Amino acid sequence: MLRQAACSAQRRHTTEAACKAQTRSMRTSAQSWHPRISMREYQKQKQQGANRFGSFVRLVPSSLVGSKPAPREPSYESVPREIQRPPYACSGTPPGAWGLQAIPRLTPHEVEQMREACTIARDALALGGTLVQPGATTGEIDRAVHSFIVGRAAYPSCLNYMGFPKSICTSVNNVIAHGIPDDARVLADGDCVNLDVTVYRNGFHGDTSAMFGAGRVDSQGRALMDVTREALGLAIQACGPHVPFSVIGETIEAAVAPHGYSVSRELTGHGVGREFHQNPLIYHHNNEEPGVMEPGMAFTIEPIVSQGSSSGVLWPDGWTVATMDGGRSAQYEHTIVITDHGVEVLTE
């Protein structure tokens, strides 16, 4: 995932209003941590766990003082020299792939090259999922997935992307997206955990994510995950050549709204291929985004569905986004490519 904020001139692919909303939502200053209650009271709620959204542990920042990690090039001990690195691996700054650029269309040969990255991402995600257990830490999961990826001569795309300090994103319970793995907290029984894995191999990225339950997840948490996964499946089924991009958001919103859930309007799917993030932007809610799908276009569909409000608040670490109201959030993601006759899921 890890979207970058760069769409100020996308008139061809994005309406002006939608583009401004996307840029505004991605700025690190957009929603800073401003709790409506004291940290002591919020910690009390965290300990109690039970609330109107079910029984679980709400996560809060460990400190109100913090800053976004500075970019840091991975060492050759961490990522061996012989592994191809994406252009941003050294500086942390990705090349611009939005603007007025056309939506890339892959050749059959390029799809085959990209398929390898997607397969490694799929397998790495599956490995990470087996490690989501009470008592484990997200830091342990990150290290295991990192070792798996580099062991297959691939690069974990999240690492040093805009300075992100880890190899995967781990978002737990009320964290919407971009959670940074650490060893400060062990997973608790009932945690709902999203693992977001992207792999770079053969000059292409493959991006996927899924939810995993640590131990015994309550019925409300299981229902949220089930509905989100089903919404992604329905959205993928709706894709095909000459289908409007807006159909994706219409399909997802129609699937989740009857359950009283909301869909994030701040974070989107995106084109993926030679760049981690590129055109098109994929909105998961009702929208009027112009453009239609054409064979060879590859992009992610990754709806973020919340129990209450989908509005997010950015933590002091500059990456972690949590729900404003403390409700849980769920996300599933696949990389797909449009074919002459339909759609293929590359990360399945």
Side-chain angles (χ1 to χ4, degrees), residues 51-55 218-224 261 307 328:
N51 54 60
R52 66 190 176 98
F53 297 117
S55 180
D218 69 351
S219 59
Q220 288 172 269
R222 292 195 304 272
L224 175 66
Y261 300 146
Q307 290 177 301
R328 279 174 291 191

Side-chain angles (χ1 to χ4, degrees), residues 132-149:
V132 175
Q133 301 290 340
T137 70
T138 54
E140 292 169 347
I141 297 171
D142 174 78
R143 290 189 291 274
V145 173
H146 175 96
S147 295
F148 179 91
I149 293 171

Side-chain angles (χ1 to χ4, degrees), residues 235 245-254 282-287:
F245 289 114
S246 60
V247 166
I248 294 173
E250 294 169 3
T251 302
I252 292 171
E253 189 122 33
I282 303 297
Y283 292 93
H284 303 113
H285 55 85
N286 289 329
N287 66 89

Side-chain angles (χ1 to χ4, degrees), residues 236-244 292-294 338-339 341-343:
I236 292 172
Q237 291 176 21
C239 293
H242 315 305
V243 174
V292 297
M293 306 170 200
E294 299 290 352
I338 303 303
T339 67
H341 305 290
V343 59

Side-chain angles (χ1 to χ4, degrees), residues 34 49 58 69 91 97 108 111 129 133 140 152 154 163 175 177 184 188-189 200 206 214 217 227 248 256 300 337 339:
H34 294 299
R58 288 188 188 179
S91 67
V111 171
Q133 301 290 340
E140 292 169 347
R152 280 145 186 79
V175 173
D189 186 52
Y200 183 72
V217 176
V227 169
I248 294 173
V256 306
T300 68
V337 63
T339 67

Side-chain angles (χ1 to χ4, degrees), residues 72-83:
R72 183 178 180 180
E73 182 180 9
S75 69
Y76 289 121
E77 181 180 359
S78 172
V79 180
R81 187 184 302 270
E82 62 270 18
I83 292 178

Side-chain angles (χ1 to χ4, degrees), residues 142-285:
D142 174 78
R143 290 189 291 274
V145 173
H146 175 96
S147 295
F148 179 91
I149 293 171
V150 299
R152 280 145 186 79
Y155 183 92
S157 301
C158 292
L159 188 60
N160 206 36
Y161 182 85
M162 298 179 71
F164 192 78
K166 299 294 182 177
S167 295
I168 65 173
C169 297
T170 55
S171 302
V172 181
N173 293 341
N174 56 302
V175 173
I176 293 175
H178 304 164
I180 302 175
D182 62 40
D183 295 307
R185 175 187 182 271
V186 299
L187 295 177
D189 186 52
D191 279 349
C192 297
V193 183
N194 175 269
L195 304 182
D196 194 339
V197 179
T198 310
V199 167
Y200 183 72
R201 167 82 174 166
N202 297 327
F204 289 88
H205 298 270
D207 192 358
T208 187
S209 82
M211 299 298 298
F212 301 93
R216 298 163 296 179
V217 176
D218 69 351
S219 59
Q220 288 172 269
R222 292 195 304 272
L224 175 66
M225 292 191 290
D226 289 345
V227 169
T228 306
R229 182 176 57 251
E230 291 166 4
L232 171 61
L234 291 170
I236 292 172
Q237 291 176 21
C239 293
H242 315 305
V243 174
F245 289 114
S246 60
V247 166
I248 294 173
E250 294 169 3
T251 302
I252 292 171
E253 189 122 33
V256 306
H259 300 274
Y261 300 146
S262 62
V263 183
S264 174
R265 295 170 178 260
E266 299 171 345
L267 298 171
T268 71
H270 53 85
V272 62
R274 292 191 182 277
E275 306 294 344
F276 193 168
H277 299 93
Q278 58 191 30
N279 284 323
L281 286 176
I282 303 297
Y283 292 93
H284 303 113
H285 55 85

